[in-house]
Amino acid sequence: MIGVFDSGIGGLTVVRALRRHLPDYDIIYFGDTARTPYGTKSPETVVRYAVEDAETLLQKGARMLVVACNTASSTATGALRERFDVPIFDVISPAVTMAVSDPKRTRVGVIGTRATVNSRIYEDKIKAIRPDMKVYGQPCPLLVPLVEEGWLKKGETRKIVKKYLHPLKLKQIEILILGCTHYPLLKDIIQVKIGKRVKIIDSSETMADSVKDFLHHNPNVDGRLNKNGACRFCVSDVTEQFQKIAETILKTAVTLEHIKL
Ligand code: DGL
């Protein structure tokens, strides 16, 4: 199984993309809904939670891990790779690879939680490859609760998105990285507010692409993964709201399994 985890529901956008790119592969998802959000927590706490999330998935039979949370990816990937001897994908590297691949664009905006933007991980990784690029981070802390409330098309959400993107518009960015797993659900509004000439990088799509590519080139790992198209959804707290949003994201009925951490 491919194990995928997130602080809560946002990582389901990565599951959705994985199912599009790799429909036969069995997936087990863990959403830490009892302890979400991670984006407001200290790095030490996020690392501790991420290690527990990974252990949970490995105990249930995951053979590789996808960290479908920008906050956990930016803070805990190193600690996870030190502890666990399975392939581990962070959601940041594929988005960086895509951002640096366009030689004509040099001005990049990154939106995410405070923890992700404060970590400066996108900036560090981009500049290590393309020192000519300018990277501007913008935390958007209100967007996660708005998505979790299902306010995907409300006027209030549009106004808040516009306000958050204003400083990036002034910087005349040419690329915008959606550095939070919830934001692909607001992609249309974000594209309208930032302008259609700005190229948006959706980390859920780039992540799925890079997992597919990895499996293609690593048949030894690929051979260990079951391919029955099955998907299990585990959470640390079962709520009606999670159920509702999960079904909106995946466009199918979802059965939640409760896991006590
Ligand atoms: N999943 C988190 C991320 O991608 C957003 C929600 C949270 O703060 O936990 O950064």
Side-chain angles (χ1 to χ4, degrees), residues 108-112 116-117 122-123 126 135-139 168 176-177 179:
V108 185
V110 178
I111 53 174
T116 299
V117 173
Y122 281 100
E123 184 172 353
I126 289 172
V135 183
Y136 305 99
Q138 173 67 47
L168 298 178
L176 178 63
I177 296 178

Side-chain angles (χ1 to χ4, degrees), residues 6-8 10-11 35-40 68-72 91 112-113 116 144 148 179-182:
D6 178 41
S7 56
R35 303 190 295 195
T36 197
Y38 286 6
T40 52
C69 173
N70 277 262
T71 304
V91 81
T113 63
T116 299
V144 166
E148 294 195 348
C180 172
T181 42
H182 286 60

Side-chain angles (χ1 to χ4, degrees), residues 54-229:
E55 274 165 354
T56 302
L57 287 171
L58 293 171
Q59 276 161 14
K60 296 221 166 273
R63 296 277 181 270
M64 61 182 272
L65 294 174
V66 172
V67 185
C69 173
N70 277 262
T71 304
S73 292
S74 61
T75 320
T77 305
L80 294 173
R81 291 203 173 120
E82 263 170 34
R83 277 185 182 74
F84 304 112
D85 189 21
V86 293
I88 296 178
F89 288 81
D90 68 275
V91 81
I92 289 158
S93 307
V96 167
T97 305
M98 181 163 269
V100 299
S101 69
D102 187 339
K104 290 205 200 77
R105 298 179 192 240
T106 55
R107 305 176 76 79
V108 185
V110 178
I111 53 174
T113 63
R114 280 212 177 88
T116 299
V117 173
N118 289 346
S119 77
R120 304 178 86 93
I121 184 130
Y122 281 100
E123 184 172 353
D124 293 348
K125 282 184 180 258
I126 289 172
K127 289 202 160 224
I129 308 169
R130 287 270 311 270
D132 61 311
M133 282 185 135
K134 295 251 179 305
V135 183
Y136 305 99
Q138 173 67 47
C140 304
L142 293 174
L143 299 189
V144 166
L146 287 168
V147 169
E148 294 195 348
E149 270 310 302
W151 284 28
L152 302 182
K153 299 209 155 74
K154 297 248 183 191
E156 290 85 346
T157 305
R158 287 174 206 280
K159 277 193 193 142
I160 291 168
V161 167
K162 186 174 175 194
K163 199 165 173 73
Y164 278 142
L165 295 181
H166 184 65
L168 298 178
K169 257 187 112 104
L170 292 180
K171 298 286 182 199
Q172 298 182 313
I173 59 162
E174 300 157 290
I175 294 174
L176 178 63
I177 296 178
L178 306 185
C180 172
T181 42
H182 286 60
Y183 301 172
L185 298 167
L186 299 171
K187 193 172 171 182
D188 293 347
I189 298 183
I190 291 171
Q191 184 77 73
V192 169
K193 299 299 177 198
I194 197 66
K196 61 175 186 301
R197 277 206 293 274
V198 175
K199 176 170 155 188
I200 290 187
I201 297 181
D202 172 347
S203 41
S204 62
E205 285 295 328
T206 50
M207 158 68 94
D209 254 348
S210 83
V211 171
K212 187 174 179 179
D213 190 57
F214 172 83
L215 291 174
H216 182 69
H217 290 101
N218 291 275
N220 55 327
V221 180
D222 189 64
R224 277 186 258 139
L225 300 174
N226 295 336
K227 299 172 190 82
N228 303 308

Side-chain angles (χ1 to χ4, degrees), residues 1-15 27-33 57 68 181 231-235 242 256-257 259:
M1 279 187 290
I2 301 177
V4 182
F5 75 85
D6 178 41
S7 56
I9 57 152
L12 290 176
T13 58
V14 174
V15 172
I27 294 176
I28 178 162
Y29 181 80
F30 177 64
D32 194 4
T33 47
L57 287 171
T181 42
C231 216
R232 286 176 65 185
F233 299 97
C234 308
V235 287
F242 181 88
L256 298 179
E257 295 174 42
I259 289 185

